Amino acid sequence: YTERKAISLGVRGWCVNTDTGTVKGELEAPLEPLNRMKYWLKHKGSPASEIERVEFSPTRPIENYSFNKFSIKR
Protein backbone atom coordinates (compact mmCIF):
# COMPACT_ATOMS: atom_id res chain seq x y z
CA TYR A 1 0.00 0.00 0.00
CA THR A 2 2.78 2.43 0.87
CA GLU A 3 4.67 1.74 -2.34
CA ARG A 4 1.50 2.13 -4.40
CA LYS A 5 0.67 5.45 -2.70
CA ALA A 6 4.21 6.78 -3.17
CA ILE A 7 4.23 5.84 -6.84
CA SER A 8 0.81 7.44 -7.41
CA LEU A 9 2.14 10.70 -5.91
CA GLY A 10 5.49 10.59 -7.69
CA VAL A 11 7.39 10.20 -4.41
CA ARG A 12 10.81 8.56 -4.53
CA GLY A 13 12.74 6.87 -1.74
CA TRP A 14 12.28 3.78 0.41
CA CYS A 15 10.82 2.38 3.62
CA VAL A 16 11.41 -0.69 5.75
CA ASN A 17 9.56 -2.38 8.58
CA THR A 18 11.98 -2.77 11.48
CA ASP A 19 12.29 -5.68 13.90
CA THR A 20 10.88 -3.43 16.65
CA GLY A 21 7.59 -2.84 14.84
CA THR A 22 8.41 0.61 13.51
CA VAL A 23 8.85 1.89 9.99
CA LYS A 24 11.83 3.91 8.77
CA GLY A 25 12.47 5.46 5.41
CA GLU A 26 13.41 8.37 3.21
CA LEU A 27 11.15 10.36 0.90
CA GLU A 28 11.97 12.70 -1.97
CA ALA A 29 9.41 14.73 -3.92
CA PRO A 30 8.29 18.27 -4.61
CA LEU A 31 6.72 19.81 -1.51
CA GLU A 32 3.02 19.26 -2.34
CA PRO A 33 3.24 15.50 -3.09
CA LEU A 34 5.69 15.09 -0.20
CA ASN A 35 3.20 16.65 2.21
CA ARG A 36 0.38 14.51 0.80
CA MET A 37 2.49 11.39 1.36
CA LYS A 38 3.36 12.43 4.90
CA TYR A 39 -0.34 13.07 5.65
CA TRP A 40 -1.24 9.62 4.30
CA LEU A 41 1.48 7.96 6.40
CA LYS A 42 0.38 9.82 9.54
CA HIS A 43 -3.40 9.48 9.21
CA LYS A 44 -4.16 6.50 6.99
CA GLY A 45 -1.40 4.05 6.12
CA SER A 46 -2.06 0.53 4.95
CA PRO A 47 -5.30 -1.13 6.13
CA ALA A 48 -3.44 -3.42 8.56
CA SER A 49 -1.33 -0.66 10.12
CA GLU A 50 -1.83 0.71 13.62
CA ILE A 51 -0.41 4.23 13.67
CA GLU A 52 0.45 5.33 17.19
CA ARG A 53 3.07 8.00 16.56
CA VAL A 54 4.76 9.57 13.55
CA GLU A 55 8.03 11.48 13.45
CA PHE A 56 9.43 13.16 10.36
CA SER A 57 12.79 14.84 10.07
CA PRO A 58 12.63 18.47 8.99
CA THR A 59 11.98 18.91 5.28
CA ARG A 60 14.93 20.26 3.35
CA PRO A 61 15.41 21.20 -0.29
CA ILE A 62 17.58 18.99 -2.51
CA GLU A 63 19.27 19.83 -5.79
CA ASN A 64 18.98 16.36 -7.33
CA TYR A 65 17.07 13.20 -6.54
CA SER A 66 19.02 10.46 -4.77
CA PHE A 67 16.51 7.75 -5.73
CA ASN A 68 15.08 6.65 -9.09
CA LYS A 69 11.87 5.23 -7.63
CA PHE A 70 10.15 4.24 -4.38
CA SER A 71 10.79 0.79 -2.97
CA ILE A 72 10.10 -1.36 0.06
CA LYS A 73 13.27 -2.77 1.60
CA ARG A 74 13.03 -6.25 3.03
Side-chain angles (χ1 to χ4, degrees), residues 50-70:
E50 292 182 27
I51 304 165
E52 295 177 10
R53 190 179 91 200
V54 176
E55 290 182 34
F56 294 108
S57 298
T59 303
R60 60 181 174 78
I62 58 172
E63 290 187 28
N64 298 302
Y65 285 109
S66 302
F67 305 100
N68 295 323
K69 62 180 185 170
F70 188 88

Side-chain angles (χ1 to χ4, degrees), residues 15-71:
C15 73
V16 63
N17 293 317
T18 70
D19 293 336
T20 60
T22 64
V23 177
K24 291 185 177 183
E26 291 186 59
L27 303 172
E28 294 179 336
L31 194 55
E32 182 182 338
L34 179 67
N35 286 336
R36 290 176 66 195
M37 183 70 185
K38 288 167 61 174
Y39 180 88
W40 184 85
L41 290 167
K42 185 174 183 177
H43 298 283
K44 298 183 181 192
S46 67
S49 63
E50 292 182 27
I51 304 165
E52 295 177 10
R53 190 179 91 200
V54 176
E55 290 182 34
F56 294 108
S57 298
T59 303
R60 60 181 174 78
I62 58 172
E63 290 187 28
N64 298 302
Y65 285 109
S66 302
F67 305 100
N68 295 323
K69 62 180 185 170
F70 188 88
S71 62

